[in-house]
Amino acid sequence: MNGIKQPELMVEEDRLLIKKALEVVCGKWRLFILLHLAEKTRRYSELRRLLPDVSEKVLIQELKALVQLGVLEKESFNEVPPRVEYRLSDRGKAVMPLLLQIKEIGRYFL
Amino acid sequence: MNGIKQPELMVEEDRLLIKKALEVVCGKWRLFILLHLAEKTRRYSELRRLLPDVSEKVLIQELKALVQLGVLEKESFNEVPPRVEYRLSDRGKAVMPLLLQIKEIGRYFL
DNA sequence: TCAGTTACAAACCAGTAGGTTAGTGGCGTG
DNA sequence: CACGCCACTAACCTACTGGTTTGTAACTGA
């Protein structure tokens, strides 16, 4: 309590932190979506074109999940044709340095 | 070719790197296994005790996968009762700093 | 004999991730 | 009319992940 970290408490906290972080980064397309939004805000259709191998359904699903996690922000415009934009939230931006490190890790194992 | 990175080549490389790295870190128990081996070499039974919530089958499965990926090394001893030890490979050790960063990322989203 | 130690494997199952297909709606153009 | 633009949704499907249960083997001690 007085500055002493109890091993079990620390391990449990680690666990929650790791679990939550993995929720953000794991998934076939997640990081690629983030990569494409790192540069700038984009509309759904732009992401579709940048990631041609993702199914429409999955892309939307992923975007929705990432918005719910607080990684992305979605802005809808009252326009026709429909216009929706996605951008990294501030928290989402914090994931970018991790992305670089993930790539470095990939180098060791490829 | 002459120092000019072609966008598509770079994106494809990123993709493979990210895909491979995610193979290493994603999975319900993977990072926790690595966490417990960060400190020292351990036997299977020790890991079981340290990770009581993983099923035997899954723990073995994960250890096997991590060995195949080159993250862990497994050493069998010709003893009874059977004695098998797992330790981080050199490449596996390179994952540890990422683990710290992953925890930091978790803080943003918890 | 049984129960304990150790480290696995096989068979089966439920839930989930990623995918295909068909559909929605409003507007503009040929 | 059909097709294009845009951004979704629902229904259905397959493969995979994590899990439960049952089993293997050798040795030791009560």
Side-chain angles (χ1 to χ4, degrees):
Chain A
M1 287 299 163
N2 48 351
I4 300 182
K5 291 200 179 178
Q6 288 180 323
E8 285 189 5
L9 269 187
M10 192 172 65
V11 169
E12 183 59 23
E13 186 186 23
D14 280 357
R15 192 164 169 173
L16 292 173
L17 293 176
I18 289 172
K19 188 165 181 278
K20 179 56 71 173
L22 292 183
E23 262 184 81
V24 171
V25 306
C26 294
K28 188 170 178 181
W29 302 109
R30 254 176 212 203
L31 291 184
F32 304 118
I33 292 170
L34 296 187
L35 242 186
H36 285 297
L37 288 172
E39 197 181 323
K40 62 172 189 175
T41 293
R42 296 183 196 268
R43 327 176 45 152
Y44 165 78
S45 51
E46 200 178 349
L47 288 168
R48 280 231 73 218
R49 277 188 288 272
L50 290 168
L51 291 160
D53 299 325
V54 201
S55 75
E56 232 175 286
K57 176 245 181 177
V58 169
L59 180 53
I60 288 165
Q61 189 171 274
E62 289 296 286
L63 288 168
K64 187 170 180 179
L66 287 166
V67 167
Q68 278 185 336
L69 279 167
V71 185
L72 299 185
E73 284 167 353
K74 172 183 176 179
E75 188 173 0
S76 300
F77 299 81
N78 196 19
E79 290 177 21
V80 171
R83 177 171 158 215
V84 174
E85 291 184 348
Y86 295 89
R87 64 175 173 264
L88 286 182
S89 67
D90 286 340
R91 289 188 286 169
K93 282 174 190 141
V95 180
M96 291 304 109
L98 182 72
L99 201 57
L100 295 182
Q101 258 217 352
I102 281 184
K103 281 199 293 185
E104 290 313 302
I105 294 299
R107 271 184 227 285
Y108 282 101
F109 297 97
L110 202 59
Chain B
M1 287 300 164
N2 47 350
I4 299 182
K5 291 200 179 180
Q6 289 181 320
E8 286 190 3
L9 269 186
M10 190 173 66
V11 168
E12 183 59 24
E13 186 186 20
D14 279 356
R15 193 165 167 172
L16 292 174
L17 293 176
I18 289 171
K19 187 163 181 281
K20 179 56 72 173
L22 293 183
E23 262 184 82
V24 172
V25 306
C26 295
K28 187 169 176 181
W29 302 110
R30 249 169 219 207
L31 292 184
F32 304 118
I33 293 171
L34 297 186
L35 243 186
H36 285 297
L37 288 171
E39 196 182 326
K40 62 173 188 175
T41 292
R42 296 184 196 268
R43 324 176 48 151
Y44 165 77
S45 50
E46 200 179 350
L47 287 169
R48 281 232 68 220
R49 277 188 287 272
L50 289 168
L51 290 161
D53 298 327
V54 202
S55 77
E56 233 175 282
K57 177 245 179 178
V58 169
L59 180 53
I60 288 164
Q61 189 171 275
E62 288 296 289
L63 289 168
K64 186 170 181 181
L66 287 166
V67 167
Q68 277 183 337
L69 279 167
V71 184
L72 300 185
E73 284 167 354
K74 171 182 175 179
E75 188 173 1
S76 300
F77 298 81
N78 196 18
E79 290 176 23
V80 171
R83 177 172 158 215
V84 173
E85 291 184 347
Y86 294 90
R87 65 175 171 267
L88 286 182
S89 67
D90 286 341
R91 291 188 287 168
K93 283 174 190 143
V95 180
M96 292 304 110
L98 181 72
L99 201 56
L100 295 183
Q101 260 218 351
I102 280 183
K103 280 199 293 185
E104 291 314 303
I105 294 299
R107 273 184 225 285
Y108 283 101
F109 296 97
L110 203 58

